[in-house]
Amino acid sequence: MRGNEKVLIVGGGIAGLAAATGLCRLGIRPTIVERTREFGAVGAGIVLSVNAMAMLRMLGLGDAALEAGRILENSELTNAKGQRLFGMNFADLAPDFGPTITIHRATLHKVLLSGCQDAKLHANLWVDHLHDLGESVEATFSDGRTKHFDHVIGADGLRSQTREQIFGRTDTLYSGYTCWRFVVESPPGLDRMQEMWGRGRRLGLVPLAGGRLYCYATANAKAGVADPDEGRIERFKKLFRAFSGFAPAILEQLTRPEQLIHNDLEEMPKHPWYKGRVLLIGDAAHATTPNMGQGAAMALEDAGILCKMLEGDASFEKVIPAFAVRRESRVRFIVDQSRRFGRLGQLENSLLRSFRNGVMRMMPQRLTSAGAVRAAAAEI
Ligand SMILES: Cc1cc2nc3c(=O)[nH]c(=O)nc-3n(C[C@H](O)[C@H](O)[C@H](O)COP(=O)(O)OP(=O)(O)OC[C@H]3O[C@@H](n4cnc5c(N)ncnc54)[C@H](O)[C@@H]3O)c2cc1C
């Protein structure tokens, strides 16, 4: 019976592919449309925390992710000189909560795609018009075809067209800081994740498998400031020249503007997640700033929990409202915490920064590690 249910997933990112994997395991063969030419991801890395990994295990992809990624044992926050402010030991917590891993986004996509081979995948296609007719949803695609679906899952990210088609335009909230991401060779001796906090700027270093290093960098800026190719590398190096420790060995590997992926960091204000037969998941519903490293984890939780709630003969009609109620406070907690943590990290005032750093140095490692992992693990 479930094989007859027609589900459209808009967006083949982390949320869309994970939801497709879960639905395939229930015997539903969803249609997925992805706007870009191929199902893939931009060239950067990602940290998959304990809850993200638990969801991948639930979707039958835990071993594949573990094999393709790199186990992250330690993480530390430092000042711009690389001096430790506090640390988190993930290895000690793994027996209770499971591993945390780092992985290249393109590799994660391959893992997720391997789970949804029974889905009907269409790249280079999007939905031009979506009409909820009550009994079904009519979708008109960019190639001119029109089809009817029982349910639509909008997993098309921060600037979701599905959200706009169903609810109208919603403005996103700019965080106040912009971000660059890149992957280089890992410098010798860097065996843990580091996030370095400077004056209104942060540099994150995340070791990946195969001796590669994923880096992210943030700087306070007005919204929408352009970063043209010409002079991009020089401007970036100037912004982070006060950073020492491993930073100089990383910055010297940047030579070409296309090495840097640049975008402003934004979040979604509180917003309904569903209307009639259309449900939003992942960033389309609740994009967060990345300061907690939990956006993809929330997308995976959405997919894993939605499919868990649909087990047996549970209907979408009953599950969708219950799913939204179950997920709302959990996701809001993460979005709010992430915004607060980002503001702390982006402080510019010297007095406030030294007070913040002093407090962080005094925080017991065991407490911060366990607290952060328990917060992440709450849905496991
Ligand atoms: C700098 C940075 C670092 C991050 N680090 C982490 C981290 O370490 N850990 C973590 O858990 N999270 C992290 N995140 C958050 C994470 O990247 C996102 O939360 C996650 O990618 C959301 O997945 P998604 O599938 O909902 O959306 P997206 O990843 O945005 O995917 C949406 C997909 O839909 C497609 N699409 C868009 N519009 C349409 C359309 N109209 N029709 C069809 N397809 C469409 C897009 O091409 C894309 O493939 C980070 C985010 C940023 C910005």
Side-chain angles (χ1 to χ4, degrees), residues 267-268 286-289 330-340:
E267 67 176 66
M268 265 298 293
H286 47 65
T288 171
T289 52
R330 157 82 171 152
V331 169
R332 238 341 85 193
F333 169 76
I334 297 287
V335 174
D336 291 344
Q337 287 290 93
S338 185
R339 187 188 320 108
R340 288 183 198 121

Side-chain angles (χ1 to χ4, degrees), residues 10-16 33-36 40 45-49 105 109 125-127 155-162 179 181 214 216 263 265 281-284 288 290 293-299:
V10 184
I14 294 170
V33 294
E34 164 57 42
R35 185 183 52 183
T36 56
I46 193 160
V47 179
L48 294 178
S49 49
R105 283 182 185 252
H109 250 70
L125 194 68
W126 56 95
V127 177
D156 45 351
L158 177 72
R159 311 221 178 279
S160 171
Q161 279 294 306
T162 313
C179 177
R181 286 175 277 171
Y214 152 54
Y216 55 88
N263 59 282
L265 295 177
I281 62 169
D283 277 11
T288 171
Q294 280 290 314
M298 290 303 105

Side-chain angles (χ1 to χ4, degrees), residues 97-232:
F97 298 102
T100 296
I101 71 161
T102 67
I103 190 165
H104 197 283
R105 283 182 185 252
T107 313
L108 174 62
H109 250 70
K110 283 188 190 141
V111 169
L112 291 167
L113 274 169
S114 73
C116 49
Q117 290 305 306
D118 288 339
K120 297 162 211 159
L121 298 153
H122 302 276
N124 200 17
L125 194 68
W126 56 95
V127 177
D128 274 338
H129 300 288
L130 209 53
H131 290 297
D132 192 335
L133 304 172
E135 290 295 296
S136 67
V137 186
E138 184 184 81
T140 306
F141 294 101
S142 48
D143 61 2
R145 283 179 308 149
T146 294
K147 285 196 168 184
H148 288 81
F149 294 89
D150 297 318
H151 295 281
V152 174
I153 298 178
D156 45 351
L158 177 72
R159 311 221 178 279
S160 171
Q161 279 294 306
T162 313
R163 189 178 66 228
E164 190 164 334
Q165 283 155 351
I166 294 301
F167 293 105
R169 206 184 133 78
T170 317
D171 288 334
T172 52
L173 299 174
Y174 177 51
S175 63
Y177 41 96
T178 195
C179 177
W180 295 263
R181 286 175 277 171
F182 53 95
V183 176
V184 291
E185 295 297 317
S186 193
L190 180 57
D191 59 355
R192 75 207 70 160
M193 176 176 167
Q194 257 190 5
E195 186 168 299
M196 307 172 80
W197 286 10
R199 186 166 178 270
R201 284 159 213 176
R202 286 178 287 160
L203 181 62
L205 319 177
V206 183
L208 297 172
R212 307 286 286 159
L213 184 74
Y214 152 54
C215 304
Y216 55 88
T218 61
N220 291 342
K222 289 200 174 114
V225 175
D227 187 29
D229 280 4
E230 200 180 330
R232 177 184 277 189

Side-chain angles (χ1 to χ4, degrees), residues 327-359:
R327 298 286 299 141
E328 172 63 38
S329 56
R330 157 82 171 152
V331 169
R332 238 341 85 193
F333 169 76
I334 297 287
V335 174
D336 291 344
Q337 287 290 93
S338 185
R339 187 188 320 108
R340 288 183 198 121
F341 197 61
R343 280 184 189 147
L344 260 188
Q346 294 296 136
L347 283 177
E348 290 194 8
N349 180 286
S350 311
L351 270 177
L352 289 176
R353 280 170 49 230
S354 55
F355 177 71
R356 172 199 71 192
N357 292 358
V359 170

Side-chain angles (χ1 to χ4, degrees), residues 15 67 141 163 206-207 263 301 310 316 319 321 353 360-361 378:
E67 206 172 302
F141 294 101
R163 189 178 66 228
V206 183
N263 59 282
E301 282 189 6
L310 284 167
F316 272 88
V319 163
R353 280 170 49 230
M360 283 187 359
R361 278 197 189 91

Side-chain angles (χ1 to χ4, degrees), residues 43-56:
I46 193 160
V47 179
L48 294 178
S49 49
V50 290
N51 51 327
M53 288 300 287
M55 292 301 133
L56 287 171

Side-chain angles (χ1 to χ4, degrees), residues 21 25 48-66 94 96-101 300 304 380:
T21 298
R25 286 164 71 86
L48 294 178
S49 49
V50 290
N51 51 327
M53 288 300 287
M55 292 301 133
L56 287 171
R57 286 194 293 278
M58 195 196 266
L59 295 168
L61 300 173
D63 288 344
L66 199 54
D96 291 331
F97 298 102
T100 296
I101 71 161
L300 290 167
I380 300 177

